[in-house]
């Protein structure tokens, strides 16, 4: 028993206070009473001691396990707390015990509130990250034009939940917000421009915007697509509308100028002009300055085109009248100046081209005015010479009459009007005596005119110098013939006087009496000689002629050579050189008698 009691004694403080000691004493009493031998008693006590050790061992093991679990929980709590601090980017947490004190449970109880607070902070931070990343994902999808797609699951990196990382996401979100707002403002600006241009052009802006993307219409109630593709489409649409606006404005500028020219040409009344005054007002405006609604509609362009077409047709009919008046004016000037008159065939060609619209009316009238101006200038430069030519022609007529009068055998008879013929014969002799000086003056004036202008002076398409020079030649030949015939003529006159005195003569005729055939034949012979000599003289003149430039007057502007050849082939109003004039000389052009 001693060996058993020793361990018991070692735990006396505990066993005596428990029922185990009391039970052991009761067992000793029972054994003494029964008379249990010592060996059995030792065996029972050893079994009891062994069983007690087993129970203690199990208890100690469970205590160790519990202690290990507490150590693990405390370590895990410490590790989690540290991880949360690191992931949240915080160095420490106020209220956390920095040093370990007390039992494990006390230490665990001291860290649990801080850990719970850190977990709450983590969850809150996670929600912030999810919100920011969700907004970033949403705005990015809107910018990319994928807002209609279902949002993908947001994955937050829980190892980096620091405020710095959150601030980076918030900055990215702020940048995306600014970009989104900028794109929205740009979209709204494009939409406003489309509305404005559509109003000016008379188009349906809603249909145009719907063609770009349905989300841009506020009535659809969906998020506006602000992707790069939509912005590009909007920009292309705006550029297309601006181009169409410029095209219509250019067309109306052209039509407006045409209207103004037609109104001025035909003296259109103010009331008729008023209906298209808005088109005329556009002439002074650029594309950016045209902002009035409906000012460039397709209907206005079509109405203006129709009005210009109507006025063009009306102008064509009036143009014929105006052209004919100017043609008559030009022909009158040419006729008075004895220059070549444009042929009727050429005039008809012009009228046909007016009808077909191949000639611009304003250019034609301007060319006609220039033509008339040049014809007047030509006539003015020829005026002094033409006055002398007319005077010379009149003197030639008087000379011709005087010659016929001199051949009249009854010119001295007493008859009615004989005294008038005598007075006319006196005046004619005076005019004829002045003809050589007049012709010399004409030659001098004509030569000066030709040298000054470097072209030939034509009189009804015949070189005047050739006529004058040939006239001088024929006059000298005539004077020589007269000298040779003077003796014979005196004898003939004396015989006629004697015969008249002896014979009763009938009533003499006047100067209007038909001339003898000899006189007429003589005149014809002179004309043939003059014609032959003129032709030969002009051919000789060609070798030393003046090289005149072709200063002819054209009905079409000088720069339009192709159209001029199409109408006329060659200029109508020409002043040929002496070389080219030889074939055009004809004695029929001048009223001249030797």
């Amino acid at each position: 028993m001693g060996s058993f009691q020793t361990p018991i004694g070692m735990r006396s403080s505990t066993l005596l206070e428990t029922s185990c000691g009391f039970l052991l004493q009761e067992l000793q009493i029972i054994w003494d009473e029964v008379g249990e031998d010592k060996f059995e008693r030792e065996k029972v006590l050893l079994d009891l001691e062994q069983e007690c050790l087993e129970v203690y061992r199990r208890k100690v093991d469970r205590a160790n396990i519990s202690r290990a679990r507490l150590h693990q929980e405390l370590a895990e709590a410490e590790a989690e707390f540290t991880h949360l601090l690191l992931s949240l980017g915080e160095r420490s947490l106020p209220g956390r015990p920095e040093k370990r004190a007390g039992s494990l449970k006390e230490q665990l109880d001291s860290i649990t509130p801080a850990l719970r607070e850190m977990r709450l902070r983590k969850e809150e931070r996670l929600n912030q990250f999810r919100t920011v990343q969700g907004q970033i994902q949403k705005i990015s999808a809107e910018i990319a034009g994928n807002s209609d797609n279902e949002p993908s699951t947001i994955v937050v990196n829980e190892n980096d939940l620091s405020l710095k990382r959150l601030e980076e996401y918030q900055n990215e979100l702020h940048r995306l917000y600014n970009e989104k707002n900028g794109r929205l403002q740009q979209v709204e600006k494009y939409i406003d421009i489309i509305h404005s241009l559509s109003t000016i052009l008379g188009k349906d802006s809603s249909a145009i915007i719907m063609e770009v993307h349905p989300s841009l219409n506020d009535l659809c109630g969906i998020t506006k697509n602000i992707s790069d593709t939509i912005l590009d489409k909007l920009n292309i649409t705006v550029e297309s509308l601006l181009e169409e606006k410029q095209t219509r404005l250019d067309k109306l500028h052209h039509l407006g100028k045409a209207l103004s020219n037609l109104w001025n040409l035909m003296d259109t009344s103010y009331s008729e002009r008023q209906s298209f005054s808005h088109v005329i007002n556009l002439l002074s405006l650029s594309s950016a300055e045209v902002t009035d609604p409906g000012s460039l509609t397709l209907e206005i362009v079509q109405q203006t085109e129709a009005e210009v077409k109507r006025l063009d047709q009306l102008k064509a009919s009036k143009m014929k009248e105006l052209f004919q008046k100017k043609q008559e004016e030009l022909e009158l000037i040419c006729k008075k100046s004895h220059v070549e008159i444009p042929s009727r065939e050429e005039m008809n060609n012009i009228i046909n081209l007016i009808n077909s619209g191949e000639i611009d009316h304003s250019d034609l009238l301007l060319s006609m005015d220039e033509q008339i101006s040049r014809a007047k200038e030509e006539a003015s430069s020829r005026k002094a010479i033409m006055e002398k030519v007319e005077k010379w022609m009149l003197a030639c007529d008087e000379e011709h009459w005087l010659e016929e009068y001199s051949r009249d055998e009854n010119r001295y008879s007493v008859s009615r009007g004989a005294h008038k013929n005598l007075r006319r014969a006196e005046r004619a002799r005076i005019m004829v005596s002045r003809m050589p000086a007049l012709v010399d003056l004409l030659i001098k004036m004509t030569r000066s005119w030709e040298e000054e202008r470097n072209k030939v002076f034509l009189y009804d398409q015949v070189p005047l110098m050739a006529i004058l020079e040939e006239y001088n030649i024929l006059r000298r030949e005539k004077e020589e013939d007269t000298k040779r015939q003077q003796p014979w003529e005196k004898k003939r006159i004396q015989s006629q006087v004697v015969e008249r005195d002896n014979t009763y003569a009938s009533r003499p005729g006047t100067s209007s009496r038909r001339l003898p055939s000899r006189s007429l034949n003589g005149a014809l012979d002179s004309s043939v000689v003059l014609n032959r000599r003129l032709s030969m003289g002009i051919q000789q003149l060609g070798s030393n002629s003046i090289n005149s430039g072709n200063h002819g007057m054209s009905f079409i502007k000088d720069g339009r050579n192709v159209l001029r050849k199409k109408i006329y082939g060659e200029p109508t109003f020409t002043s040929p050189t002496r070389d080219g004039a030889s074939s055009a000389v004809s004695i029929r052009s001048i009223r001249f008698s030797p």
Side-chain angles (χ1 to χ4, degrees), residues 69-132:
R69 185 169 60 250
L70 287 175
H71 274 294
Q72 184 178 1
E73 290 180 0
L74 182 60
E76 290 178 351
E78 288 285 349
E80 183 181 0
F81 189 87
T82 302
H83 178 72
L84 288 173
L85 283 176
L86 293 175
S87 63
L88 293 176
E90 297 182 4
R91 295 181 179 180
S92 62
L93 180 69
R96 176 197 175 188
E98 295 295 334
K99 296 181 179 180
R100 296 183 180 180
S103 64
L104 293 176
K105 288 186 177 180
E106 290 175 350
Q107 293 180 25
L108 187 61
D109 290 340
S110 66
I111 199 173
T112 298
L115 183 61
R116 187 181 301 113
E117 183 178 352
M118 290 299 293
R119 286 172 179 171
L120 291 175
R121 287 191 180 187
K122 176 185 177 181
E123 189 63 29
E124 181 181 355
R125 191 72 57 81
L126 277 173
N127 291 334
Q128 291 177 342
F129 270 86
R130 290 191 185 98
T131 301
V132 172

Side-chain angles (χ1 to χ4, degrees), residues 2 5 164 183 270 305 322 344 458 566:
Q5 291 177 348
K164 181 179 179 181
R183 287 174 177 261
Y270 176 79
E305 284 180 336
L322 185 59
R344 282 292 175 181
L458 297 180
K566 180 177 180 182

Side-chain angles (χ1 to χ4, degrees), residues 330 342 346-347 350 363-375 550-561 563-565 567-574:
L330 180 60
E346 293 171 350
M347 297 298 106
I350 295 176
D363 288 342
L364 178 60
L365 288 180
L366 181 60
S367 179
M368 286 292 295
D369 290 337
E370 293 176 355
Q371 186 76 1
I372 292 172
S373 176
R374 287 196 294 268
N550 202 356
H551 299 285
M553 289 181 267
S554 170
F555 286 101
I556 305 299
K557 286 185 176 180
D558 296 336
R560 306 196 173 189
N561 295 327
L563 186 56
R564 180 178 60 197
K565 290 181 180 180
I567 300 172
Y568 304 106
E570 294 296 334
T572 300
F573 229 53
T574 59

Side-chain angles (χ1 to χ4, degrees), residues 44 51 103 111 115 166 256 326 443 466 483 549 593:
V44 170
E51 289 178 1
S103 64
I111 199 173
L115 183 61
L166 180 61
K326 291 185 178 293
I443 291 175
K483 289 179 180 179
S593 65

Side-chain angles (χ1 to χ4, degrees), residues 69-313:
R69 185 169 60 250
L70 287 175
H71 274 294
Q72 184 178 1
E73 290 180 0
L74 182 60
E76 290 178 351
E78 288 285 349
E80 183 181 0
F81 189 87
T82 302
H83 178 72
L84 288 173
L85 283 176
L86 293 175
S87 63
L88 293 176
E90 297 182 4
R91 295 181 179 180
S92 62
L93 180 69
R96 176 197 175 188
E98 295 295 334
K99 296 181 179 180
R100 296 183 180 180
S103 64
L104 293 176
K105 288 186 177 180
E106 290 175 350
Q107 293 180 25
L108 187 61
D109 290 340
S110 66
I111 199 173
T112 298
L115 183 61
R116 187 181 301 113
E117 183 178 352
M118 290 299 293
R119 286 172 179 171
L120 291 175
R121 287 191 180 187
K122 176 185 177 181
E123 189 63 29
E124 181 181 355
R125 191 72 57 81
L126 277 173
N127 291 334
Q128 291 177 342
F129 270 86
R130 290 191 185 98
T131 301
V132 172
Q133 288 184 240
Q135 292 175 342
I136 290 174
Q137 184 178 8
K138 180 182 178 182
I139 295 176
S140 298
E142 291 178 3
I143 292 175
N146 300 323
S147 58
D148 296 336
N149 299 336
E150 294 183 1
S152 59
T153 304
I154 299 173
V155 179
V156 180
N157 183 11
E158 297 186 7
N159 293 325
D160 189 0
L161 299 176
S162 62
L163 291 174
K164 181 179 179 181
R165 185 61 175 169
L166 180 61
E167 185 178 359
E168 291 177 358
Y169 277 117
Q170 288 174 341
N171 291 336
E172 175 67 12
L173 179 62
H174 183 69
R175 185 189 69 79
L176 290 174
Y177 265 126
N178 291 337
E179 183 177 354
K180 176 183 176 180
N181 291 333
R183 287 174 177 261
L184 283 173
Q185 291 176 2
Q186 197 169 0
V187 168
E188 290 297 331
K189 181 179 178 181
Y190 279 130
I191 291 176
D192 291 341
I193 294 175
I194 290 174
H195 281 301
S196 176
L197 291 175
S198 299
T199 304
I200 295 172
L201 298 174
K203 290 177 172 287
D204 185 3
S205 59
S206 299
I208 296 175
I209 293 173
M210 287 291 289
E211 288 181 2
V212 177
H213 199 273
S215 64
L216 301 180
N217 193 333
D218 295 333
L219 299 178
C220 295
I222 57 178
T223 304
K224 290 182 178 179
N225 193 317
I226 56 175
S227 64
D228 292 336
T229 304
I230 297 301
L231 290 175
D232 290 340
K233 287 183 178 180
L234 286 171
N235 184 56
I236 292 172
T237 302
V238 169
E239 289 181 353
S240 176
L241 291 173
L242 287 172
E243 184 178 355
E244 185 174 358
K245 178 184 178 182
Q246 185 65 51
T247 301
R248 291 192 184 181
L249 182 61
D250 292 341
K251 194 167 188 179
L252 284 176
H253 278 175
H254 175 73
L255 293 172
K257 291 177 182 177
L259 271 181
S260 181
N261 292 336
L262 290 169
W263 287 343
N264 295 333
L265 182 64
M266 293 184 288
D267 294 330
T268 306
S269 63
Y270 176 79
S271 58
E272 293 182 10
R273 299 187 184 194
Q274 191 63 25
S275 57
F276 288 92
S277 59
H278 57 286
V279 177
I280 303 302
N281 293 335
L282 293 174
L283 292 176
S284 59
L285 300 180
S286 63
S287 178
E289 295 173 331
V290 179
T291 56
D292 294 337
S295 56
L296 296 177
T297 62
L298 188 60
E299 183 181 2
I300 290 177
V301 176
Q302 292 173 347
Q303 289 176 353
T304 309
E305 284 180 336
E307 180 65 10
V308 170
K309 184 177 180 181
R310 184 186 71 83
L311 291 176
D312 269 332
Q313 294 174 351

